[in-house]
Amino acid sequence: MIDQAIDRWVDSSAKSLRSWAKDLRYRVETVRTHTAGRALEALPDVADAIKRTALQADVAPATVNRLLAILRRVANLAERWGWTSEPLGRRIELVPGERPREVYVTPAQVRKLAAAAEPLTRDVILFAALTGLRRSEILRLTPADLRGDVIIVDSRSKSGRARVVPLPAEAARIAKRRVPFAIGVPLLTKRFNAARTAAALPQLRLHDLRHAFGTWMAETGADGPTIRDVMGHSSLTVTSRYLQSATESARRAVDRLPRLSPTPLRKKQR
């Protein structure tokens, strides 16, 4: 049953999230109004019902997608637990029309931000930008997760699936020196906020460094499936935002190419 999967997720990890008391528990209650008595296999149908109800009530796409994200999470976990062999999470499509937060972070901005931070926070900032790992994934790392020049991200990640993340040389040096990162979320948040203020980059969030990594990968020519697998996305729909950024970057580069067509000669005036 869907409710049993929700119960297990809530008790095992959701309640420990900082967002639980703030708003997550209320979203879970909303989802439960659609899941009572439904079997796991009905998860895609429940998602469709939530979409229909939202359209009738003129609910913002972002709000609807937060509810659908809960269903996706539960579906992915149920598959990992062996409760179902069906990839139910991949059959839950988000509502289009949500406007993503458009913040393009340049390498120069990351360097400026890191330079303004104390040493440990500096390494977290650089490591996030070089690996695309989520904050929770970074802080959960242990030496056992390091395998040479790659990191094994366990299945407690947001997608519910383990993945292998290659480490560039700079990130590998940080990992060897710092893992496990001896800092908690409250202190990291405080120090990160101080660094972005000192760097005159108040609009940046730590999660923006993950988006920067995805964009940079796309700009180097990495294809969608590669970006999806490295970043642990649930589908290529999530990855597409980075490919779009790469397309725009390519357009800017193409527009700067020299003109090769001869300039047409003006007709002589009689």
Side-chain angles (χ1 to χ4, degrees), residues 53-60:
T53 302
L55 287 175
Q56 294 171 357
D58 197 26
V59 177

Side-chain angles (χ1 to χ4, degrees), residues 100-105 109 203-205 208 211-212 215 241:
R101 184 168 176 268
E102 300 293 346
V103 176
Y104 180 81
V105 184
Q109 287 176 320
Q203 78 281 8
L204 289 189
R205 302 175 184 172
D208 291 333
H211 295 317
T215 301
R241 66 178 298 185

Side-chain angles (χ1 to χ4, degrees), residues 33-113:
T33 63
H34 296 270
T35 60
R38 305 296 298 273
L40 275 174
E41 290 69 24
L43 272 165
D45 294 332
V46 171
D48 289 340
I50 289 177
K51 293 177 188 178
R52 287 194 300 271
T53 302
L55 287 175
Q56 294 171 357
D58 197 26
V59 177
T63 301
V64 181
N65 286 340
R66 286 180 175 85
L67 301 179
L68 298 178
I70 292 174
L71 294 178
R72 272 187 173 181
R73 177 63 170 156
V74 170
N76 290 334
L77 287 173
E79 184 181 1
R80 177 164 69 87
W81 296 332
W83 290 16
T84 177
S85 59
E86 295 294 323
L88 300 173
R90 279 169 271 174
R91 290 167 53 190
I92 298 174
E93 296 291 336
L94 300 182
V95 175
E98 181 176 355
R99 298 182 62 183
R101 184 168 176 268
E102 300 293 346
V103 176
Y104 180 81
V105 184
T106 67
Q109 287 176 320
V110 174
R111 286 191 289 268
K112 184 178 180 181
L113 179 66

Side-chain angles (χ1 to χ4, degrees), residues 204-227:
L204 289 189
R205 302 175 184 172
L206 184 59
H207 197 71
D208 291 333
L209 303 178
R210 172 173 164 81
H211 295 317
F213 172 83
T215 301
W216 299 343
M217 278 196 70
E219 290 177 349
T220 62
D223 59 26
T226 298
I227 299 173

Side-chain angles (χ1 to χ4, degrees), residues 153-246:
V153 179
D154 65 31
S155 56
R156 287 177 294 171
S157 64
K158 186 177 179 181
S159 66
R161 296 193 298 272
R163 69 184 192 278
V164 177
V165 179
L167 295 177
E170 189 176 1
R173 288 194 294 270
I174 293 173
K176 185 176 181 180
R177 183 172 69 251
R178 291 292 192 186
V179 172
F181 288 92
I183 189 170
V185 172
L187 183 56
L188 175 59
T189 300
K190 179 180 179 180
R191 290 180 176 178
F192 180 85
N193 290 343
R196 69 180 184 178
T197 298
L201 296 168
Q203 78 281 8
L204 289 189
R205 302 175 184 172
L206 184 59
H207 197 71
D208 291 333
L209 303 178
R210 172 173 164 81
H211 295 317
F213 172 83
T215 301
W216 299 343
M217 278 196 70
E219 290 177 349
T220 62
D223 59 26
T226 298
I227 299 173
R228 175 199 61 199
D229 294 343
V230 171
M231 298 189 69
H233 292 153
S234 56
S235 70
L236 283 175
T237 301
V238 181
T239 308
S240 64
R241 66 178 298 185
Y242 303 108
L243 299 178
Q244 178 63 31
S245 296

